[in-house]
Every structure is written in C-alpha cells, then in structure tokens.
Amino acid sequence: MNRFEKPRLPSEARIRYLDGDFQIESPGTFVRCAVTGQAIPIDELKYWSVSRQEAYVDAASALKRYQECHRNA
C-alpha cells in the first residue's frame, strides 16, 4: 500500500449477478451468503444464482438452496 491509498473498511457490496459474471452496483469488500449469512470477499465469489440474485459461499450452500427452492415448487 502506498501512502496515498486508504485502507478499505469492510463493507457489504450490492451486486447484480449475471451469467458467468457480475456487476458491482454499490462498492464494497464482501457479499453475504444467502444460505449461511457468511461474508464472502468479492475476490473469492464463485457461486451465485442469476434467477434468485443470491450469492453462496460454496457449492454445498448453492445445492442446498437449489433443493429448497425446487422442493417447494
């Protein structure tokens, strides 16, 4: 970090999830998992649902949400 950079305080970002990509609508350092509530750093975000516009911390959480939504359909 150089002397002109300010350290970023942790804050929740607002993201629009797209197919294979996402757009940051409101800057931040993390998003929350829709299943566990765990903070996911933006640079580690790998799992999300375009149709539900939700992020997931891992594949197991994504599968759990998928099963919940399709069991009730």
Side-chain angles (χ1 to χ4, degrees):
M1 179 165 70
N2 67 39
R3 64 187 174 128
F4 297 109
E5 290 179 355
K6 294 180 183 176
R8 292 185 72 179
L9 296 175
S11 61
E12 192 164 355
R14 271 194 19 235
I15 292 182
R16 183 171 162 226
Y17 302 101
L18 308 170
D19 289 327
D21 200 8
F22 55 85
Q23 291 177 336
I24 298 176
E25 294 183 341
S26 176
T29 57
F30 68 91
V31 293
R32 294 233 176 251
C33 175
V35 176
T36 66
Q38 186 175 351
I40 308 164
I42 298 292
D43 58 345
E44 295 179 21
L45 180 60
K46 297 177 185 154
Y47 304 97
W48 62 82
S49 169
V50 175
S51 60
R52 289 185 289 281
Q53 291 294 295
E54 297 177 334
Y56 309 108
V57 71
D58 57 19
S61 296
L63 176 61
K64 181 177 179 181
R65 178 61 109 204
Y66 176 83
Q67 291 171 334
E68 289 172 357
C69 291
H70 285 82
R71 177 177 44 227
N72 297 330

